mmCIF file of all heavy atoms in Angstrom:
data_model
loop_
_atom_site.group_PDB
_atom_site.id
_atom_site.type_symbol
_atom_site.label_atom_id
_atom_site.label_comp_id
_atom_site.label_asym_id
_atom_site.label_seq_id
_atom_site.Cartn_x
_atom_site.Cartn_y
_atom_site.Cartn_z
ATOM 1 N N ILE A 82 -7.101 9.354 20.451
ATOM 2 C CA ILE A 82 -6.535 8.637 21.593
ATOM 3 C C ILE A 82 -5.137 8.987 21.837
ATOM 4 O O ILE A 82 -4.397 9.509 20.934
ATOM 5 C CB ILE A 82 -6.757 7.113 21.368
ATOM 6 C CG1 ILE A 82 -5.956 6.600 20.214
ATOM 7 C CG2 ILE A 82 -8.263 6.700 21.330
ATOM 8 C CD1 ILE A 82 -6.075 5.059 20.003
ATOM 9 N N ASP A 83 -4.631 8.739 23.031
ATOM 10 C CA ASP A 83 -3.222 9.064 23.358
ATOM 11 C C ASP A 83 -2.266 8.212 22.568
ATOM 12 O O ASP A 83 -2.502 6.963 22.335
ATOM 13 C CB ASP A 83 -2.971 8.840 24.834
ATOM 14 C CG ASP A 83 -3.822 9.893 25.705
ATOM 15 O OD1 ASP A 83 -4.090 10.999 25.111
ATOM 16 O OD2 ASP A 83 -4.045 9.546 26.876
ATOM 17 N N GLU A 84 -1.092 8.749 22.216
ATOM 18 C CA GLU A 84 -0.108 7.953 21.464
ATOM 19 C C GLU A 84 0.359 6.703 22.184
ATOM 20 O O GLU A 84 0.685 5.731 21.536
ATOM 21 C CB GLU A 84 1.093 8.914 21.140
ATOM 22 C CG GLU A 84 0.826 9.875 20.091
ATOM 23 C CD GLU A 84 2.058 10.622 19.622
ATOM 24 O OE1 GLU A 84 3.191 10.348 20.223
ATOM 25 O OE2 GLU A 84 2.032 11.375 18.605
ATOM 26 N N GLU A 85 0.426 6.755 23.536
ATOM 27 C CA GLU A 85 0.882 5.605 24.256
ATOM 28 C C GLU A 85 -0.069 4.423 24.136
ATOM 29 O O GLU A 85 0.302 3.302 24.451
ATOM 30 C CB GLU A 85 1.134 5.955 25.756
ATOM 31 C CG GLU A 85 -0.056 6.496 26.472
ATOM 32 C CD GLU A 85 0.002 7.976 26.546
ATOM 33 O OE1 GLU A 85 0.683 8.646 25.581
ATOM 34 O OE2 GLU A 85 -0.470 8.583 27.444
ATOM 35 N N ARG A 86 -1.238 4.655 23.616
ATOM 36 C CA ARG A 86 -2.208 3.630 23.424
ATOM 37 C C ARG A 86 -1.953 2.825 22.132
ATOM 38 O O ARG A 86 -2.343 1.649 22.020
ATOM 39 C CB ARG A 86 -3.668 4.173 23.275
ATOM 40 C CG ARG A 86 -4.129 4.853 24.519
ATOM 41 C CD ARG A 86 -4.650 3.861 25.610
ATOM 42 N NE ARG A 86 -5.602 2.935 25.022
ATOM 43 C CZ ARG A 86 -6.920 3.244 24.865
ATOM 44 N NH1 ARG A 86 -7.385 4.456 25.210
ATOM 45 N NH2 ARG A 86 -7.745 2.343 24.332
ATOM 46 N N TRP A 87 -1.189 3.439 21.088
ATOM 47 C CA TRP A 87 -1.048 2.733 19.866
ATOM 48 C C TRP A 87 0.402 2.752 19.340
ATOM 49 O O TRP A 87 0.757 1.713 18.658
ATOM 50 C CB TRP A 87 -1.974 3.381 18.816
ATOM 51 C CG TRP A 87 -1.696 4.765 18.407
ATOM 52 C CD1 TRP A 87 -2.172 5.905 19.016
ATOM 53 C CD2 TRP A 87 -0.788 5.213 17.354
ATOM 54 N NE1 TRP A 87 -1.696 7.030 18.355
ATOM 55 C CE2 TRP A 87 -0.874 6.649 17.314
ATOM 56 C CE3 TRP A 87 -0.046 4.578 16.374
ATOM 57 C CZ2 TRP A 87 -0.134 7.413 16.434
ATOM 58 C CZ3 TRP A 87 0.699 5.378 15.468
ATOM 59 C CH2 TRP A 87 0.572 6.747 15.524
ATOM 60 N N VAL A 88 1.226 3.685 19.703
ATOM 61 C CA VAL A 88 2.548 3.705 19.183
ATOM 62 C C VAL A 88 3.354 2.471 19.556
ATOM 63 O O VAL A 88 3.964 1.830 18.724
ATOM 64 C CB VAL A 88 3.298 4.941 19.551
ATOM 65 C CG1 VAL A 88 4.792 4.883 19.181
ATOM 66 C CG2 VAL A 88 2.707 6.230 18.824
ATOM 67 N N PRO A 89 3.323 2.072 20.867
ATOM 68 C CA PRO A 89 4.055 0.784 21.193
ATOM 69 C C PRO A 89 3.590 -0.407 20.434
ATOM 70 O O PRO A 89 4.342 -1.322 20.019
ATOM 71 C CB PRO A 89 3.867 0.687 22.647
ATOM 72 C CG PRO A 89 3.531 2.056 23.185
ATOM 73 C CD PRO A 89 2.777 2.667 22.069
ATOM 74 N N LEU A 90 2.266 -0.466 20.191
ATOM 75 C CA LEU A 90 1.678 -1.585 19.416
ATOM 76 C C LEU A 90 2.268 -1.598 18.017
ATOM 77 O O LEU A 90 2.699 -2.701 17.467
ATOM 78 C CB LEU A 90 0.154 -1.433 19.379
ATOM 79 C CG LEU A 90 -0.565 -2.490 18.521
ATOM 80 C CD1 LEU A 90 -0.489 -3.804 19.094
ATOM 81 C CD2 LEU A 90 -2.067 -1.947 18.308
ATOM 82 N N VAL A 91 2.400 -0.485 17.318
ATOM 83 C CA VAL A 91 2.934 -0.368 16.044
ATOM 84 C C VAL A 91 4.419 -0.763 16.018
ATOM 85 O O VAL A 91 4.898 -1.434 15.149
ATOM 86 C CB VAL A 91 2.662 1.002 15.400
ATOM 87 C CG1 VAL A 91 3.398 1.178 14.105
ATOM 88 C CG2 VAL A 91 1.207 1.252 15.221
ATOM 89 N N ARG A 92 5.134 -0.229 16.958
ATOM 90 C CA ARG A 92 6.552 -0.546 17.099
ATOM 91 C C ARG A 92 6.854 -2.062 17.281
ATOM 92 O O ARG A 92 7.870 -2.548 16.824
ATOM 93 C CB ARG A 92 7.230 0.276 18.200
ATOM 94 C CG ARG A 92 7.334 1.761 17.860
ATOM 95 C CD ARG A 92 8.300 2.438 18.743
ATOM 96 N NE ARG A 92 8.433 3.913 18.476
ATOM 97 C CZ ARG A 92 9.098 4.411 17.471
ATOM 98 N NH1 ARG A 92 9.784 3.656 16.650
ATOM 99 N NH2 ARG A 92 9.184 5.691 17.284
ATOM 100 N N GLU A 93 5.970 -2.711 17.947
ATOM 101 C CA GLU A 93 6.235 -4.100 18.315
ATOM 102 C C GLU A 93 5.743 -5.081 17.200
ATOM 103 O O GLU A 93 6.099 -6.216 17.189
ATOM 104 C CB GLU A 93 5.506 -4.473 19.623
ATOM 105 C CG GLU A 93 6.118 -3.721 20.782
ATOM 106 C CD GLU A 93 5.208 -3.763 22.023
ATOM 107 O OE1 GLU A 93 4.103 -4.493 21.976
ATOM 108 O OE2 GLU A 93 5.511 -3.152 23.008
ATOM 109 N N THR A 94 4.867 -4.629 16.332
ATOM 110 C CA THR A 94 4.334 -5.597 15.340
ATOM 111 C C THR A 94 5.360 -5.908 14.229
ATOM 112 O O THR A 94 6.283 -5.102 13.954
ATOM 113 C CB THR A 94 3.072 -4.993 14.662
ATOM 114 O OG1 THR A 94 2.281 -5.997 14.051
ATOM 115 C CG2 THR A 94 3.366 -3.967 13.590
ATOM 116 N N ASP A 95 5.252 -7.066 13.627
ATOM 117 C CA ASP A 95 6.200 -7.447 12.613
ATOM 118 C C ASP A 95 5.795 -7.006 11.198
ATOM 119 O O ASP A 95 6.725 -6.744 10.395
ATOM 120 C CB ASP A 95 6.264 -9.052 12.587
ATOM 121 C CG ASP A 95 6.767 -9.595 13.908
ATOM 122 O OD1 ASP A 95 7.865 -9.165 14.331
ATOM 123 O OD2 ASP A 95 6.071 -10.456 14.481
ATOM 124 N N VAL A 96 4.571 -6.800 10.950
ATOM 125 C CA VAL A 96 4.109 -6.496 9.543
ATOM 126 C C VAL A 96 2.919 -5.530 9.655
ATOM 127 O O VAL A 96 1.996 -5.672 10.482
ATOM 128 C CB VAL A 96 3.604 -7.762 8.826
ATOM 129 C CG1 VAL A 96 3.219 -7.425 7.389
ATOM 130 C CG2 VAL A 96 4.789 -8.781 8.779
ATOM 131 N N LEU A 97 2.976 -4.530 8.757
ATOM 132 C CA LEU A 97 1.768 -3.669 8.530
ATOM 133 C C LEU A 97 1.184 -4.103 7.224
ATOM 134 O O LEU A 97 1.862 -4.083 6.156
ATOM 135 C CB LEU A 97 2.169 -2.209 8.512
ATOM 136 C CG LEU A 97 2.766 -1.628 9.761
ATOM 137 C CD1 LEU A 97 3.126 -0.196 9.579
ATOM 138 C CD2 LEU A 97 1.863 -1.814 10.983
ATOM 139 N N LEU A 98 -0.067 -4.405 7.158
ATOM 140 C CA LEU A 98 -0.807 -4.743 5.977
ATOM 141 C C LEU A 98 -1.802 -3.614 5.631
ATOM 142 O O LEU A 98 -2.754 -3.353 6.337
ATOM 143 C CB LEU A 98 -1.642 -6.031 6.198
ATOM 144 C CG LEU A 98 -0.798 -7.249 6.766
ATOM 145 C CD1 LEU A 98 -1.767 -8.370 7.104
ATOM 146 C CD2 LEU A 98 0.206 -7.705 5.659
ATOM 147 N N VAL A 99 -1.544 -2.940 4.510
ATOM 148 C CA VAL A 99 -2.186 -1.686 4.188
ATOM 149 C C VAL A 99 -3.089 -1.802 2.985
ATOM 150 O O VAL A 99 -2.576 -2.113 1.883
ATOM 151 C CB VAL A 99 -1.232 -0.499 4.061
ATOM 152 C CG1 VAL A 99 -1.949 0.818 3.919
ATOM 153 C CG2 VAL A 99 -0.193 -0.444 5.243
ATOM 154 N N ALA A 100 -4.354 -1.698 3.164
ATOM 155 C CA ALA A 100 -5.374 -1.909 2.144
ATOM 156 C C ALA A 100 -5.295 -0.898 0.998
ATOM 157 O O ALA A 100 -4.788 0.205 1.195
ATOM 158 C CB ALA A 100 -6.772 -1.956 2.712
ATOM 159 N N GLY A 101 -5.871 -1.188 -0.147
ATOM 160 C CA GLY A 101 -6.057 -0.270 -1.189
ATOM 161 C C GLY A 101 -7.208 0.580 -0.994
ATOM 162 O O GLY A 101 -7.966 0.393 -0.055
ATOM 163 N N GLY A 102 -7.513 1.450 -1.929
ATOM 164 C CA GLY A 102 -8.581 2.408 -1.826
ATOM 165 C C GLY A 102 -8.229 3.685 -2.474
ATOM 166 O O GLY A 102 -7.929 3.779 -3.668
ATOM 167 N N ASP A 103 -8.140 4.783 -1.688
ATOM 168 C CA ASP A 103 -7.844 6.106 -2.165
ATOM 169 C C ASP A 103 -6.546 6.562 -1.568
ATOM 170 O O ASP A 103 -6.426 6.661 -0.321
ATOM 171 C CB ASP A 103 -8.921 7.125 -1.865
ATOM 172 C CG ASP A 103 -8.664 8.412 -2.588
ATOM 173 O OD1 ASP A 103 -7.781 9.157 -2.176
ATOM 174 O OD2 ASP A 103 -9.373 8.694 -3.608
ATOM 175 N N ALA A 104 -5.453 6.756 -2.399
ATOM 176 C CA ALA A 104 -4.134 7.059 -1.875
ATOM 177 C C ALA A 104 -4.052 8.385 -1.204
ATOM 178 O O ALA A 104 -3.323 8.489 -0.205
ATOM 179 C CB ALA A 104 -3.134 6.911 -3.011
ATOM 180 N N LEU A 105 -4.720 9.358 -1.732
ATOM 181 C CA LEU A 105 -4.698 10.679 -1.075
ATOM 182 C C LEU A 105 -5.406 10.700 0.250
ATOM 183 O O LEU A 105 -4.919 11.415 1.207
ATOM 184 C CB LEU A 105 -5.250 11.763 -1.988
ATOM 185 C CG LEU A 105 -4.460 11.995 -3.298
ATOM 186 C CD1 LEU A 105 -5.135 13.088 -4.104
ATOM 187 C CD2 LEU A 105 -3.062 12.342 -3.011
ATOM 188 N N TYR A 106 -6.559 9.994 0.382
ATOM 189 C CA TYR A 106 -7.207 9.842 1.610
ATOM 190 C C TYR A 106 -6.296 9.174 2.683
ATOM 191 O O TYR A 106 -6.192 9.630 3.793
ATOM 192 C CB TYR A 106 -8.523 9.109 1.472
ATOM 193 C CG TYR A 106 -9.376 8.980 2.708
ATOM 194 C CD1 TYR A 106 -10.263 10.038 3.026
ATOM 195 C CD2 TYR A 106 -9.430 7.832 3.412
ATOM 196 C CE1 TYR A 106 -11.032 9.921 4.180
ATOM 197 C CE2 TYR A 106 -10.202 7.699 4.538
ATOM 198 C CZ TYR A 106 -11.037 8.778 4.886
ATOM 199 O OH TYR A 106 -11.875 8.630 5.979
ATOM 200 N N LEU A 107 -5.616 8.132 2.209
ATOM 201 C CA LEU A 107 -4.741 7.364 3.090
ATOM 202 C C LEU A 107 -3.545 8.245 3.542
ATOM 203 O O LEU A 107 -3.192 8.280 4.667
ATOM 204 C CB LEU A 107 -4.233 6.081 2.367
ATOM 205 C CG LEU A 107 -3.235 5.283 3.108
ATOM 206 C CD1 LEU A 107 -3.723 4.768 4.457
ATOM 207 C CD2 LEU A 107 -2.731 4.107 2.282
ATOM 208 N N SER A 108 -2.970 8.981 2.586
ATOM 209 C CA SER A 108 -1.850 9.864 2.924
ATOM 210 C C SER A 108 -2.293 10.902 3.959
ATOM 211 O O SER A 108 -1.559 11.193 4.915
ATOM 212 C CB SER A 108 -1.406 10.566 1.597
ATOM 213 O OG SER A 108 -0.316 11.439 1.907
ATOM 214 N N HIS A 109 -3.457 11.495 3.729
ATOM 215 C CA HIS A 109 -3.966 12.503 4.679
ATOM 216 C C HIS A 109 -4.075 11.926 6.139
ATOM 217 O O HIS A 109 -3.587 12.588 7.108
ATOM 218 C CB HIS A 109 -5.384 12.973 4.248
ATOM 219 C CG HIS A 109 -6.017 13.864 5.153
ATOM 220 N ND1 HIS A 109 -5.680 15.178 5.371
ATOM 221 C CD2 HIS A 109 -7.050 13.639 6.100
ATOM 222 C CE1 HIS A 109 -6.440 15.742 6.203
ATOM 223 N NE2 HIS A 109 -7.302 14.843 6.762
ATOM 224 N N TRP A 110 -4.631 10.740 6.264
ATOM 225 C CA TRP A 110 -4.846 10.154 7.574
ATOM 226 C C TRP A 110 -3.564 9.577 8.136
ATOM 227 O O TRP A 110 -3.353 9.505 9.390
ATOM 228 C CB TRP A 110 -5.932 9.179 7.569
ATOM 229 C CG TRP A 110 -7.215 9.919 7.586
ATOM 230 C CD1 TRP A 110 -8.160 10.019 6.575
ATOM 231 C CD2 TRP A 110 -7.775 10.632 8.663
ATOM 232 N NE1 TRP A 110 -9.190 10.790 6.996
ATOM 233 C CE2 TRP A 110 -9.008 11.239 8.226
ATOM 234 C CE3 TRP A 110 -7.354 10.859 9.979
ATOM 235 C CZ2 TRP A 110 -9.788 12.032 9.091
ATOM 236 C CZ3 TRP A 110 -8.189 11.708 10.788
ATOM 237 C CH2 TRP A 110 -9.323 12.287 10.355
ATOM 238 N N MET A 111 -2.638 9.175 7.291
ATOM 239 C CA MET A 111 -1.298 8.809 7.830
ATOM 240 C C MET A 111 -0.599 10.022 8.458
ATOM 241 O O MET A 111 0.012 9.826 9.486
ATOM 242 C CB MET A 111 -0.440 8.186 6.671
ATOM 243 C CG MET A 111 -0.726 6.803 6.395
ATOM 244 S SD MET A 111 0.611 6.061 5.301
ATOM 245 C CE MET A 111 0.097 4.344 5.447
ATOM 246 N N ARG A 112 -0.758 11.168 7.864
ATOM 247 C CA ARG A 112 -0.192 12.391 8.408
ATOM 248 C C ARG A 112 -0.869 12.853 9.691
ATOM 249 O O ARG A 112 -0.343 13.177 10.761
ATOM 250 C CB ARG A 112 -0.108 13.475 7.355
ATOM 251 C CG ARG A 112 0.918 13.188 6.269
ATOM 252 C CD ARG A 112 1.174 14.519 5.515
ATOM 253 N NE ARG A 112 2.294 14.407 4.601
ATOM 254 C CZ ARG A 112 2.211 14.082 3.363
ATOM 255 N NH1 ARG A 112 1.042 13.777 2.814
ATOM 256 N NH2 ARG A 112 3.366 13.973 2.632
ATOM 257 N N GLN A 113 -2.237 12.871 9.607
ATOM 258 C CA GLN A 113 -3.045 13.360 10.745
ATOM 259 C C GLN A 113 -2.923 12.441 11.930
ATOM 260 O O GLN A 113 -2.926 12.953 13.048
ATOM 261 C CB GLN A 113 -4.505 13.366 10.307
ATOM 262 C CG GLN A 113 -4.904 14.392 9.270
ATOM 263 C CD GLN A 113 -4.749 15.815 9.851
ATOM 264 O OE1 GLN A 113 -3.837 16.578 9.470
ATOM 265 N NE2 GLN A 113 -5.635 16.173 10.791
ATOM 266 N N SER A 114 -2.766 11.192 11.719
ATOM 267 C CA SER A 114 -2.619 10.259 12.839
ATOM 268 C C SER A 114 -1.245 10.186 13.477
ATOM 269 O O SER A 114 -1.120 9.777 14.621
ATOM 270 C CB SER A 114 -3.003 8.822 12.337
ATOM 271 O OG SER A 114 -1.985 8.347 11.428
ATOM 272 N N GLY A 115 -0.247 10.665 12.786
ATOM 273 C CA GLY A 115 1.100 10.565 13.255
ATOM 274 C C GLY A 115 1.875 9.322 12.742
ATOM 275 O O GLY A 115 3.105 9.192 12.951
ATOM 276 N N LEU A 116 1.195 8.469 12.032
ATOM 277 C CA LEU A 116 1.784 7.271 11.531
ATOM 278 C C LEU A 116 2.905 7.583 10.509
ATOM 279 O O LEU A 116 3.979 6.907 10.470
ATOM 280 C CB LEU A 116 0.831 6.317 10.941
ATOM 281 C CG LEU A 116 1.401 4.983 10.434
ATOM 282 C CD1 LEU A 116 2.074 4.149 11.516
ATOM 283 C CD2 LEU A 116 0.288 4.086 9.713
ATOM 284 N N ALA A 117 2.695 8.573 9.669
ATOM 285 C CA ALA A 117 3.656 8.977 8.618
ATOM 286 C C ALA A 117 4.984 9.246 9.205
ATOM 287 O O ALA A 117 6.049 8.911 8.708
ATOM 288 C CB ALA A 117 3.154 10.095 7.872
ATOM 289 N N ASP A 118 4.985 9.990 10.359
ATOM 290 C CA ASP A 118 6.246 10.371 11.028
ATOM 291 C C ASP A 118 6.923 9.134 11.672
ATOM 292 O O ASP A 118 8.151 9.116 11.803
ATOM 293 C CB ASP A 118 5.996 11.374 12.127
ATOM 294 C CG ASP A 118 5.517 12.708 11.575
ATOM 295 O OD1 ASP A 118 5.901 13.074 10.381
ATOM 296 O OD2 ASP A 118 4.737 13.397 12.269
ATOM 297 N N LEU A 119 6.105 8.153 12.012
ATOM 298 C CA LEU A 119 6.665 6.922 12.749
ATOM 299 C C LEU A 119 7.237 5.966 11.701
ATOM 300 O O LEU A 119 8.182 5.219 12.073
ATOM 301 C CB LEU A 119 5.562 6.276 13.507
ATOM 302 C CG LEU A 119 5.886 5.194 14.504
ATOM 303 C CD1 LEU A 119 6.757 5.748 15.617
ATOM 304 C CD2 LEU A 119 4.514 4.662 15.076
ATOM 305 N N LEU A 120 6.752 5.945 10.508
ATOM 306 C CA LEU A 120 7.060 4.905 9.540
ATOM 307 C C LEU A 120 8.583 4.769 9.312
ATOM 308 O O LEU A 120 9.066 3.602 9.370
ATOM 309 C CB LEU A 120 6.369 5.070 8.226
ATOM 310 C CG LEU A 120 4.892 4.802 8.164
ATOM 311 C CD1 LEU A 120 4.288 5.209 6.829
ATOM 312 C CD2 LEU A 120 4.630 3.286 8.439
ATOM 313 N N PRO A 121 9.313 5.763 9.062
ATOM 314 C CA PRO A 121 10.746 5.560 8.732
ATOM 315 C C PRO A 121 11.589 4.963 9.874
ATOM 316 O O PRO A 121 12.676 4.377 9.606
ATOM 317 C CB PRO A 121 11.238 7.026 8.514
ATOM 318 C CG PRO A 121 10.067 7.828 8.053
ATOM 319 C CD PRO A 121 8.990 7.203 8.944
ATOM 320 N N SER A 122 11.097 5.027 11.109
ATOM 321 C CA SER A 122 11.860 4.468 12.209
ATOM 322 C C SER A 122 11.489 3.029 12.564
ATOM 323 O O SER A 122 12.085 2.379 13.440
ATOM 324 C CB SER A 122 11.652 5.282 13.481
ATOM 325 O OG SER A 122 10.358 5.218 13.935
#
Side-chain angles (χ1 to χ4, degrees):
I82 60 178
D83 294 334
E84 286 190 355
E85 55 263 29
R86 296 280 307 280
W87 66 271
V88 170
L90 176 67
V91 173
R92 289 199 180 279
E93 292 165 7
T94 199
D95 297 308
V96 180
L97 298 179
L98 306 171
V99 186
D103 190 285
L105 294 180
Y106 185 81
L107 177 60
S108 178
H109 173 77
W110 282 107
M111 279 191 168
R112 288 194 170 95
Q113 291 292 110
S114 66
L116 181 62
D118 294 331
L119 193 61
L120 286 175
S122 67

